Amino acid sequence: MDGVKEGYMEMGKKKKLGAGIRFKPYWAVLVEGSLHLYAHPSDPEPYKTFQLESTVLEPSASASSSVKDKEHTISLRIGDKPKTFAFHAKEDLGAWTVALKEAIGKKAASPPPRDEAALKLRKEGKGDALFRAKKSLSNKIASSGAGKQGMKKIVNEDTRKVIDSLLEIITHQSSAKKAADVEKALVKVMVKGYLQYDQGIISNQDLQPIDQSVRVAFNHLDKLYRYYGVRKASSMHDSFVKASELFRDATNKVIKLLEPHVRTENIILIRNSLEYISSVEFLMGVWDDQSIEEELFVLINSMNKYTQFES
């Protein structure tokens, strides 16, 4: 295996009561002969390590048959105990399967040194009583019905209208549940981001790379909108692929900024939600749905206004 593979995966554990498997997200670091799982990407030591020298990788279909609510899974048989792992997307499953096949059967290797800058950032201010109080309040706001009220204090009315329009589009394209998941993710991004900014942990300089990526993506969609109602999405497929790539670049920068401050399960929620609304399928589906023309106009108009102001 050449190098190290890192990323999120969920590990299954049998429930104590009743049948089924409960999954918990981890940051995974795969090196030759070893799979290291961290509770958080910037943790100094792994939560659990699996030695892969005698491990057997079982077909995903075998693992999926016993896990009804997880579509993309694999099973590692370590000794007599199989461990099931789940992934967000088919592409992730494929990439990890290839990497695991290369790592299995080799002598166990130690985890690579953790990013010292990330470890330092994670530790800064965490012994401070005020920080702990604010973090506790932030967690309650971002994970409860109070989140919407908390977000109203952070964003203005125009921004709230944009979010409402986006949620209406998601509801129409997918479901109310999906819209609720995306709204929950947006609340976490805004509340958590505001907390870190208010503490001085995140600066304007840290936000600038995200702002630049968002501006490029917004400008690209604004140019596409000139053809709205005139050309079908299928005739501009490459342009939507480009739009998706631009938004995913912004998503990756948001995740990188928030990772040291947000729990792993929330990072996965945020990533999954942002990747959903930036996917080619979602963008093209919205484009061809004339019934949500008004909501789309609100979004495009807001994007246009955003790019008119200098950061």
Side-chain angles (χ1 to χ4, degrees):
M1 179 181 178
D2 185 17
V4 177
K5 181 170 179 57
E6 300 187 43
Y8 285 107
M9 64 169 61
E10 297 180 69
M11 182 173 68
K13 184 178 181 180
K14 287 186 177 181
K15 297 179 181 179
K16 293 182 178 180
L17 298 176
I21 297 177
R22 179 176 59 187
F23 284 85
K24 185 175 180 179
Y26 294 94
W27 180 259
V29 177
L30 178 66
V31 294
E32 283 192 357
S34 300
L35 175 64
H36 306 280
L37 301 182
Y38 295 80
H40 191 281
S42 58
D43 282 352
E45 300 294 335
Y47 162 78
K48 198 170 188 64
T49 293
F50 295 106
Q51 295 185 1
L52 305 177
E53 186 174 2
S54 302
T55 296
V56 177
L57 177 64
E58 297 184 341
S60 57
S62 173
S64 298
S65 62
S66 62
V67 187
K68 296 180 180 179
D69 59 341
K70 295 293 181 180
E71 185 177 358
H72 310 296
T73 62
I74 57 173
S75 181
L76 294 179
R77 184 166 291 278
I78 303 168
D80 295 330
K81 297 181 179 180
K83 283 288 184 182
T84 303
F85 298 89
F87 302 89
H88 168 59
K90 182 179 179 181
E91 293 77 13
D92 296 331
L93 171 63
W96 276 98
T97 299
V98 170
L100 282 165
K101 285 181 178 179
E102 293 180 3
I104 286 174
K106 298 180 179 179
K107 293 288 185 180
S110 300
R114 308 303 290 155
D115 186 341
E116 292 299 325
L119 295 178
K120 181 180 178 182
L121 183 61
R122 184 167 171 78
K123 293 177 181 177
E124 282 181 354
K126 292 202 171 182
D128 182 78
L130 179 60
F131 178 89
R132 292 198 303 269
K134 284 190 173 185
K135 182 173 179 63
S136 176
L137 178 60
S138 169
N139 285 334
K140 291 177 181 177
I141 290 175
S143 60
S144 68
K148 295 180 183 179
Q149 296 300 321
M151 191 164 63
K152 286 180 179 178
K153 297 180 180 180
I154 298 173
V155 303
N156 57 33
E157 185 177 351
D158 287 342
T159 304
R160 181 67 249 186
K161 288 180 179 178
V162 171
I163 293 173
D164 287 342
S165 295
L166 174 61
L167 297 177
E168 184 66 30
I169 290 173
I170 295 171
T171 300
H172 198 276
Q173 285 290 302
S174 180
S175 65
K177 182 183 182 304
K178 188 66 176 181
D181 287 343
V182 172
E183 183 177 29
K184 184 178 180 181
L186 293 176
V187 168
K188 290 184 182 296
V189 169
M190 293 179 182
V191 173
K192 293 289 187 178
Y194 178 78
L195 170 66
Q196 303 307 319
Y197 186 83
D198 185 55
Q199 282 284 110
I201 297 173
I202 291 177
S203 66
N204 287 330
Q205 186 175 358
D206 296 323
L207 295 171
Q208 192 171 6
I210 298 174
D211 174 74
Q212 292 173 346
S213 293
V214 168
R215 287 173 183 272
V216 173
F218 281 3
N219 276 323
H220 182 77
L221 270 190
D222 185 46
K223 291 177 181 178
L224 284 183
Y225 190 67
R226 300 170 188 175
Y227 303 99
Y228 182 70
V230 178
R231 297 177 60 182
K232 290 287 186 180
S234 58
S235 69
M236 300 186 296
H237 180 267
D238 290 347
S239 295
F240 282 107
V241 169
K242 178 65 175 178
S244 178
E245 291 173 350
L246 292 172
F247 278 114
R248 284 175 183 265
D249 177 60
T251 293
N252 290 335
K253 290 177 180 177
V254 169
I255 296 300
K256 183 178 180 180
L257 185 64
L258 292 179
E259 265 183 340
H261 319 290
V262 181
R263 290 182 300 182
T264 301
E265 58 266 31
N266 290 332
I267 284 292
I268 290 179
L269 171 66
I270 292 168
R271 179 183 288 281
N272 290 351
S273 297
L274 295 181
E275 287 185 349
Y276 169 74
I277 61 178
S278 63
S279 67
V280 176
E281 294 76 15
F282 177 77
L283 295 174
M284 292 180 66
V286 171
W287 184 270
D288 284 337
D289 191 344
Q290 298 295 308
S291 68
I292 49 177
E293 180 179 1
E294 183 177 340
E295 288 80 7
L296 180 59
F297 174 77
V298 171
L299 288 180
I300 297 296
N301 189 48
S302 298
M303 292 178 186
N304 184 270
K305 287 181 179 179
Y306 181 89
T307 58
Q308 300 308 308
F309 294 96
E310 294 293 331
S311 58

